[in-house]
Amino acid sequence: MFDVYRKELDWAGRKLVLETGKIARQADGAVMAHLGGTSVLAAVVAAKEARPGIDFFPLTVNYQEKAFAAGKIPGGFFKREGRPSEKEVLVSRLIDRPIRPLFHESFRNETLVVVTVLSHDMENDPDIVSLVAASAALTISGIPFLGPIGAARVGRIDGQYVINPTLVQMEQSELDLVVAGTKEGVLMVESEAKELPEDVMLGAVMAGHRSFQPVIDAIIQLAEHCAKEPWPLAEPSADAKRVAEKLNSDLRSGLADAYREVKKQSRQDKVAAVKTQAKALFAGDEPALAALGEQFGNLEADVVRNAILDTGHRIDGRDTRTVRPIVAEVGILPRAHGSSLFTRGETQALVVATLGTGQDEQIIDALEGEYREHFMLHYNFPPYSVGEVRRMGSPSRRDIGHGKLAWRAIKPMLPPKEKFPYTVRVVSEITESNGSSSMATVCGASLSLMDAGVPLSRPVAGVAMGLIKEGDRFAVLTDILGDEDHLGDMDFKVAGTDNGVTALQMDIKITSITEEIMKVALAQARDGRLHILGEMAKGLGGARETVSQNAPRITVINIPKDKIREVIGTGGKVIREIVEQTGAKIDIEDDGTVKVAAVDAKAGQAAIDWIKGIVAEPEVGTVYNGKVVKIVEFGAFVNFLGTRDGLVHISEIAPRRIAKVSDVLKEGDQVKVKVLGIDDRGKVKLSMKVIDQQTGAEIPREPRPPREGADPASASQPV
């Protein structure tokens, strides 16, 4: 019933298995991939015909994790998988980015790639095997995909590169780098690092590229046995050729003049005017108008790219290495804990940092288990930032991806949670955009955190690099504009400190780039990053000495584990009372660590004193302030230390004999008591009469009168 094709290989110490022909047979291509005990299914389908008039490639990639893959039932009310998690969005982008440039340029059919995690062994992250499975499914599908690609994760432990480290190994790694590419070169890189030098980062990329060559060979061998017939490709139409020739002859010089305009808005207006002329050239010619959009874009790319390669000058007049003018400002929002406005040319980010407590941590329910995140960075890209009108809704995949890149760049420089016990949220509002708003977010986030008093190890900056490559000629561009990103061949973003790289992301629009180009880009990016750090220092060079006066002050104390129950109280009664009475926030951890947070220092100290009173043990001979809580015939019970009560016997209330306790005391009276002793059952004996109730000083005992016939020396002994 099944024609199953299977390919196995040993890869970095684990078995990789690719299998097709048994599951999802109605898809154009479907591959089940296993790496260790992690299994994913990749299925690919493309529409048989392109939609009329479409001038882009409509590719959708959906990566989805099923809870059953880890033997779990989804949380929440509905008990089923809902909208994509942040990781699912990020892995969807991770798969999309290296495969998108490998579809044939004339292919416009709507294409869907679905990758489903079916089993997770808690050792091998599904993202790498998902990339491999998607590549294999596309390669055997017959769809015009110019692959296959391979992918690998590279860690660095004890100075050695580790290919596809396990989740446990990643906890010791100073590098988390994912690289994907073809046999010829690299297509995509995504990484987080702990201030590693550029040569170490480049070495990791090339080590990863070498490691997945056997995977590419295995996919090719699988395809040789079971690949479907290649889909026919439409020949370029005569109308497209006709339009391209006419545009080149009549409008090339006008378009070149438009792209000499330095200001973005004016440049866009001039380009739009040339496009209006183009439409007028073909008025009433429907076939030509249908091809106009794509051919006009091709002419734009040719004009801009060749101008840069021929002259070394870019759209806005800069050379290939110059960074646009920068203005870095901090403390611009009076009530925010930390804020900055970072402006680089026509790109601007308003970034705000907020400090919270443990109660503000994000709870994440992942396949690997539930965990808490105390650092969050959210990126927003409103339409007004590029002068557009469009519907605003939930964060897009792009928003989530850009925010995660900035998160990776900043996280290695944050102080450990043990030393800085705050939950930190950073929000980046992009208010203007013309090139690399994600790197502006990195710079603005670093400034706003330092403004809030977060002790970053060092400031972090980022810069986006571009590439123009025609044959053997190429130019690497520092701090690219939006048009250079759109019309260029590479978007290479590098973030880090003056010591090294903390995050790196690279996307290629051509089939691959070489080690030489990456080496040039990394070196040029370092120069740009150091320049930006210098400009940022003019606004703020390091973290402020204390956290913002608007932020809560967190004090950490430790209590015995057996006292946690007393601080919390039955049903949380005690801790709720402390919070309500003082206004402080209190977090208690299982190891007895207590974090008390309050904007008002007095409120925080009051809560701390209350807690210390609850957990403190009474000391014999010590004087305490107390409150009478109960009157009995033989004495009074006094609350004197947190929730601790002790008995003042009727004989210890006053220096004289009293007939009834109620003659001297009533419930609620504030008194001063001294601990006389604690019996084996923990009951505390107190005395009032030995303490001056006004001053709290101990009253010296009068000497005992000598008995008749006794040694006179005994009279000096106190009673």
Side-chain angles (χ1 to χ4, degrees):
M1 182 175 180
F2 301 115
D3 293 324
V4 178
Y5 299 90
R6 183 182 178 94
K7 183 65 184 177
E8 295 184 11
L9 72 153
D10 289 327
W11 184 32
R14 298 176 190 81
K15 181 183 289 186
L16 174 67
V17 180
L18 303 175
E19 183 180 287
T20 187
K22 187 173 185 179
I23 298 177
R25 292 173 295 165
Q26 296 186 44
D28 290 322
V31 169
M32 180 79 85
H34 311 270
L35 183 63
T38 296
S39 303
V40 303
L41 172 66
V44 179
V45 181
K48 301 309 176 188
E49 295 181 358
R51 297 200 306 267
I54 194 167
D55 61 355
F56 66 96
F57 175 41
L59 171 66
T60 301
V61 177
N62 283 326
Y63 165 89
Q64 52 190 11
E65 296 181 337
K66 297 299 182 180
F68 60 71
K72 297 173 61 177
I73 295 175
F77 183 78
F78 294 104
K79 296 300 176 187
R80 68 175 297 166
E81 291 82 3
R83 69 178 186 178
S85 66
E86 182 180 273
K87 180 181 179 181
E88 288 173 316
V89 170
L90 293 170
V91 177
S92 296
R93 284 171 52 84
L94 200 69
I95 298 169
D96 183 301
R97 286 157 46 199
I99 66 174
R100 184 176 289 272
L102 293 181
F103 288 88
H104 194 277
E105 61 180 7
S106 67
F107 189 62
R108 295 289 186 270
N109 301 32
E110 191 165 356
T111 303
L112 175 65
V113 178
V114 179
V115 183
T116 307
V117 180
L118 302 178
S119 179
H120 189 358
D121 61 5
M122 302 301 161
E123 289 188 1
N124 299 287
D125 196 311
D127 54 1
I128 296 301
V129 68
S130 295
L131 267 162
V132 171
S135 170
L138 284 165
T139 302
I140 68 172
S141 68
I143 295 171
F145 173 70
L146 308 179
I149 65 166
R153 169 170 274 105
V154 182
R156 193 168 189 261
I157 303 172
D158 297 329
Q160 301 296 318
Y161 295 126
V162 180
I163 302 300
N164 294 337
T166 64
L167 295 176
V168 173
Q169 286 178 308
M170 284 305 301
E171 295 175 2
Q172 282 77 48
S173 178
E174 59 184 353
L175 172 68
D176 181 1
L177 182 142
V178 174
V179 57
T182 60
K183 264 194 169 301
E184 291 72 29
V186 175
L187 278 166
M188 184 274 297
V189 178
E190 183 82 50
S191 70
E192 176 185 339
K194 296 180 180 177
E195 290 188 292
L196 295 179
E198 279 75 8
D199 60 336
V200 172
M201 297 297 292
L202 181 59
V205 172
M206 302 318 299
H209 182 258
R210 290 190 295 271
S211 76
F212 60 64
Q213 296 308 310
V215 176
I216 293 176
D217 292 337
I219 294 173
I220 293 172
Q221 293 166 18
L222 181 70
E224 287 173 348
H225 290 91
C226 62
K228 297 179 180 178
E229 288 298 317
W231 289 25
L233 291 170
E235 293 292 329
S237 68
D239 293 316
K241 293 180 181 178
R242 175 168 59 90
V243 170
E245 291 171 358
K246 184 68 171 173
L247 290 175
N248 187 56
S249 62
D250 290 15
L251 299 181
R252 186 181 187 90
S253 61
L255 195 57
D257 288 338
Y259 272 104
R260 292 190 189 98
E261 174 58 52
V262 174
K263 291 186 177 180
K264 177 184 176 182
Q265 292 292 342
S266 299
R267 181 169 63 251
Q268 288 180 334
D269 291 342
K270 289 185 176 182
V271 172
V274 177
K275 196 164 191 176
T276 300
Q277 294 176 35
K279 291 178 180 177
L281 285 175
F282 302 102
D285 187 345
E286 292 302 324
L289 289 174
L292 179 59
E294 182 175 354
Q295 298 308 315
F296 189 85
N298 291 341
L299 180 60
E300 282 185 287
D302 189 56
V303 166
V304 172
R305 293 164 63 87
N306 280 290
I308 293 173
L309 290 172
D310 292 341
T311 68
H313 293 292
R314 296 154 66 178
I315 295 171
D316 58 359
R318 286 180 293 153
D319 61 24
T320 58
R321 291 176 171 270
T322 301
V323 178
R324 288 171 289 174
I326 291 172
V327 178
E329 304 169 76
V330 297
I332 64 171
L333 301 179
R335 287 292 298 169
H337 298 167
S339 59
S340 70
L341 185 67
F342 180 83
T343 307
R344 185 191 62 239
E346 295 167 310
T347 296
Q348 186 179 74
L350 173 62
V351 189
V352 184
T354 307
L355 306 182
T357 68
Q359 297 175 19
D360 299 308
E361 289 181 339
Q362 184 178 15
I363 301 173
I364 299 174
D365 184 16
L367 283 186
E368 297 82 6
E370 185 178 285
Y371 66 95
R372 290 175 174 265
E373 180 57 65
H374 74 284
F375 173 50
M376 296 159 279
L377 197 153
H378 299 144
Y379 166 102
N380 297 311
F381 191 86
Y384 66 75
S385 64
V386 287
E388 293 181 355
V389 178
R390 55 180 165 81
R391 186 182 67 84
M392 294 183 66
S394 301
S396 67
R397 288 186 172 190
R398 177 184 178 278
D399 293 348
I400 293 171
H402 278 30
K404 191 66 175 181
L405 173 59
W407 181 91
R408 290 191 178 105
I410 296 291
K411 188 185 178 187
M413 292 297 99
L414 286 173
K417 188 178 177 182
E418 296 75 26
K419 294 184 178 180
F420 192 75
Y422 287 88
T423 296
V424 181
R425 181 187 184 225
V426 175
V427 178
S428 175
E429 297 288 337
I430 303 304
T431 51
E432 292 183 43
S433 182
N434 184 16
S436 193
S437 54
S438 63
M439 294 297 95
T441 294
V442 171
C443 301
S446 179
L447 289 167
S448 68
L449 287 167
M450 293 190 297
D451 184 47
V454 179
L456 296 182
S457 300
R458 275 170 291 280
V460 184
V463 63
M465 312 299 295
L467 173 70
I468 304 295
K469 186 175 186 297
E470 294 289 348
D472 294 332
R473 295 196 303 165
F474 73 88
V476 175
L477 312 179
T478 298
D479 181 25
I480 55 175
L481 302 172
D483 287 333
E484 291 169 339
D485 183 10
H486 174 65
L487 301 173
D489 298 320
M490 176 180 76
D491 183 8
F492 192 5
K493 297 169 182 173
V494 186
T497 68
D498 54 3
N499 275 12
V501 175
T502 57
L504 188 153
Q505 184 184 87
M506 183 179 72
D507 293 308
I508 303 299
K509 300 175 187 177
I510 53 181
T511 53
S512 64
I513 65 168
T514 63
E515 182 178 1
E516 176 195 1
I517 293 175
M518 280 190 288
K519 189 173 183 178
V520 171
L522 280 167
Q524 205 165 309
R526 175 174 170 77
D527 293 340
R529 184 172 79 248
L530 293 178
H531 169 76
I532 295 169
L533 284 168
E535 295 299 302
M536 288 168 56
K538 296 176 182 178
L540 185 63
R544 302 198 187 279
E545 293 184 1
T546 60
V547 297
S548 166
Q549 62 180 5
N550 298 322
R553 264 60 173 180
I554 297 181
T555 304
V556 180
I557 62 174
N558 292 284
I559 64 174
K561 292 182 181 180
D562 59 357
K563 295 291 184 180
I564 294 175
R565 181 178 299 178
E566 295 180 31
V567 176
I568 295 175
T570 305
K573 178 182 177 182
V574 175
I575 196 168
R576 280 199 305 270
E577 184 181 3
I578 300 173
V579 170
E580 291 169 2
Q581 294 285 338
T582 65
K585 288 185 177 180
I586 302 171
D587 295 324
I588 303 178
E589 298 178 7
D590 293 341
D591 64 354
T593 301
V594 181
K595 298 173 185 175
V596 179
V599 176
D600 183 357
K602 290 183 179 179
Q605 190 58 49
I608 292 169
D609 292 342
W610 196 328
I611 293 169
K612 286 183 176 179
I614 293 173
V615 302
E617 292 292 339
E619 296 182 15
V620 175
T622 302
V623 177
Y624 297 93
N625 292 316
K627 182 173 73 172
V628 178
V629 293
K630 188 176 181 181
I631 300 293
V632 293
E633 183 179 344
F634 51 84
F637 286 97
V638 175
N639 174 247
F640 69 98
L641 186 62
T643 59
R644 199 69 178 263
D645 295 344
L647 174 66
V648 181
H649 191 268
I650 190 171
S651 63
E652 293 291 339
I653 292 176
R656 65 186 186 279
R657 181 180 180 84
I658 60 174
K660 293 173 62 178
V661 176
S662 57
D663 290 342
V664 180
L665 296 174
K666 64 181 182 299
E667 290 185 9
D669 282 353
Q670 299 292 326
V671 297
K672 293 177 173 60
V673 294
K674 178 181 179 180
V675 178
L676 298 180
I678 306 171
D679 66 16
D680 294 341
R681 294 176 294 176
K683 292 185 177 181
V684 182
K685 300 175 183 179
L686 304 173
S687 175
M688 288 174 54
K689 71 179 184 181
V690 297
I691 303 298
D692 185 322
Q693 294 299 309
Q694 297 297 322
T695 66
E698 291 194 46
I699 301 173
R701 295 193 176 187
E702 296 180 4
R704 181 184 303 153
R707 296 190 302 272
E708 193 174 328
D711 184 353
S714 66
S716 64
Q717 299 300 315
V719 177

